[in-house]
Amino acid sequence: MKYILAAAALTLTLGVIGAGSVHAEYVLPYPGYMPGNKLYALSRLIDTLRQPFYFGNISAYKYHLGLSDKYLVEAKTLFEYKQYLLASDALLRSDSEFARVPVYLRRAASEGKDVRALELQLREAAARHTQVLTGLQSVLPEVFEWKPEKSDATTLSIQDMLRQSGMVRDNAVLTL
Amino acid sequence: MKRAYILFIAAASVLLLYSYGFIDPHLSFSSHPLYVWAQNIVVSLVYRQSVVAAVLYVCIIAALFAGYGMLLWGQKEKKLMSVPRWVFALVIMFVLSYPAFSYDIYNYIATAKVAFLYRENPYVVMPVEIPNEPMLSYTRAANKLALYGPAWIVLTSFPFIAGMGNIFLTVMSFKAFAAVFYAAVTFLIYRKTKDLKQALFFALNPLVLIEVLVSGHNDVVMMALGLAGLLLWNRQDARYKVAGIILFMSSVLIKGATIVLLPLFFLPASPTGGPASPTGGPASPTGGPASPTGGPASPTGGPAWKWEKKMRIAAFLMFGVFLVSPLREEMYPWYAVWWLSCLAFVPIRRKSPIHALSFWLSLGLMLRYVPWIATREYGGITPVSRIIVTVVPVLVYICIRFRKKILRPFTLLKRYL
């Protein structure tokens, strides 16, 4: 009998713990066309042209968060391939898009729309972004000097840039 | 005519009351004690005595189809001269009924609300993404982005504004909006055929009455614009042609099904441009086409058969889309409005098999609701029962209509033995 009770207690405990930890993790998109691909410029153009389609504050929230995700994945891939200049550009674009997201969320809330689920989603997105940035911080150099063949060199403060990106995410969450 | 009138009005009166029994438990149109008392009676019938409710539904449908059959085929070649006044009363009663058999109207309203009240793009934001929206408690498919084209979304601004934020008024506005296009299709049929019987073939079909006026489906809007576009395209004046193209494109941008009618724009139009004959359209006094072979029909010398032939092709094309619709979801009864509206332009002959078949198929499609009303379940035996009740009336008709051909092998065998 005691074994049955123990098994039942174990099942219940595992069930409760399992049920408590059920969580839909924030998923970043698959990287799209990367710089160097013939369709990359077109993809960027489409990103810009899509903007009017996302009228409305919740729509705009989705648009800017989607772009921020996309450009972060682009930056991560480029950093991994040591394309630091292009990666830095993608990361700055991701930051810029992420910084806009809370603005639309506040506007939607001021219109009387219940945005609690979207706020939660934004927190999860910020956490996921920070996780990616932390991972990059551990493998990338502090500073990198980019020397093109026919033009002047560019010094990239990569770690500073990553820290700045992290702060953009933190600030966005703090303003909620 | 009098029997048909009694059947139609009696069925419409019962349906008007009965339909309110299907009201969603989370929705109430009024808190007036009399309304609440009356609603509770029909709600308890529909929800607690579902078999009785199903039998009552079958009786309503039987009465409507009996009246429809009497009106179209019961009269001996007597041409209807004017629209009976009771038809207007009938339309009003159907419009005032509750959209009992489909939640689509709430989906239209929810999408319009996302677009025009919340000012969000309904192709990006689902109604469920605005969780404090009160409609969510009684709207189905709120977790879907806009299901229809941009032309429909733009058009819904009119009934949505007319509803003034009141759910009852909004539902009625959407239904009245569908009724306007129902009247437009009926008018187009009459204008082109100059035969009231043709117009009533569409307007009084119980499937059309229920799916358009009771449920307020937007298929009639798509067909009205598509048919108007096709009619205008056949005019000589370039301005009419441009208007025709615009209307047709709007139709395609509602639901997309009318895109199959595009080849008809490339077929040669009747040289007269307008109706085939100024005296009475393509139909002969007996109700048949002027020339079944397709020769010149009208005294003006225009090949009058062309329009009829075009509409026959249109009906078959739309019927084709209707047949393949289960590949996407299921064969919804309201999809029959697509081909019924085209078929109404084809002259009704006394033994016209396509019109008779449309009658029996319409009946079968309306019976699809019976298993759901009886069981209140979409699963279980309901899907199979739906197929059976749809197919049986059609098979019965085919067996009776073509019994000689079907029995011929047996007759030959008997003779041989």
Side-chain angles (χ1 to χ4, degrees), chain B residues 118-289:
Chain B
Y118 296 113
R119 296 178 189 278
E120 296 286 353
N121 185 342
Y123 294 105
V124 176
V125 177
M126 296 179 274
V128 77
E129 287 180 286
I130 304 167
N132 53 333
E133 166 49 49
M135 272 192 80
L136 292 180
S137 59
Y138 51 82
T139 303
R140 303 268 173 98
N143 59 339
K144 286 183 182 174
L145 296 174
L147 297 165
Y148 307 101
W152 172 247
I153 290 172
V154 170
L155 284 172
T156 56
S157 62
F158 298 107
F160 181 72
I161 293 164
M164 295 183 294
N166 177 295
I167 186 63
F168 177 73
L169 283 181
T170 310
V171 168
M172 289 302 149
S173 302
F174 271 78
K175 279 154 65 77
F177 188 67
V180 168
F181 286 90
Y182 157 87
V185 172
T186 309
F187 172 75
L188 289 176
I189 296 163
Y190 181 68
R191 183 169 165 88
K192 195 67 191 174
T193 62
K194 296 281 187 282
D195 188 347
L196 201 57
K197 197 175 181 180
Q198 298 289 138
L200 292 182
F201 167 80
F202 172 79
L204 291 183
N205 184 314
L207 182 144
V208 174
L209 289 170
I210 289 176
E211 298 302 348
V212 173
L213 301 178
V214 176
S215 299
H217 281 116
N218 59 5
D219 303 78
V220 77
V221 182
M222 176 184 78
M223 288 316 299
L225 295 175
L227 291 169
L230 208 52
L231 273 166
L232 287 172
W233 176 257
N234 280 284
R235 303 284 287 262
Q236 299 297 313
D237 196 325
R239 284 174 299 177
Y240 286 119
K241 284 189 184 293
V242 172
I245 285 288
I246 292 169
L247 287 180
F248 182 74
M249 288 314 294
S250 307
S251 163
V252 173
L253 290 174
I254 286 178
K255 224 172 182 174
T258 43
I259 191 74
V260 296
L261 299 180
L262 189 64
L264 298 180
F265 281 77
F266 301 102
L267 292 177
S270 163
T272 52
S277 156
T279 52
S284 71
T286 55

Side-chain angles (χ1 to χ4, degrees), chain B residues 1-10 63-64 66-68 70-71 74 86:
Chain B
M1 174 74 94
K2 197 176 177 183
R3 281 184 192 169
Y5 154 73
I6 292 168
L7 284 168
F8 268 111
I9 293 293
L64 287 172
Y68 179 61
M70 279 178 195
L71 199 74
W86 57 266

Side-chain angles (χ1 to χ4, degrees), chain B residues 8-22 42 60 89-101 168 172 175 214:
Chain B
F8 268 111
I9 293 293
S13 309
V14 176
L15 184 68
L16 177 63
L17 299 172
Y18 169 80
S19 64
Y20 280 84
F22 289 83
V42 281
I60 292 167
L90 194 73
V91 169
I92 292 168
M93 285 162 87
F94 278 109
V95 170
L96 289 175
S97 300
Y98 179 77
F101 312 113
F168 177 73
M172 289 302 149
K175 279 154 65 77
V214 176

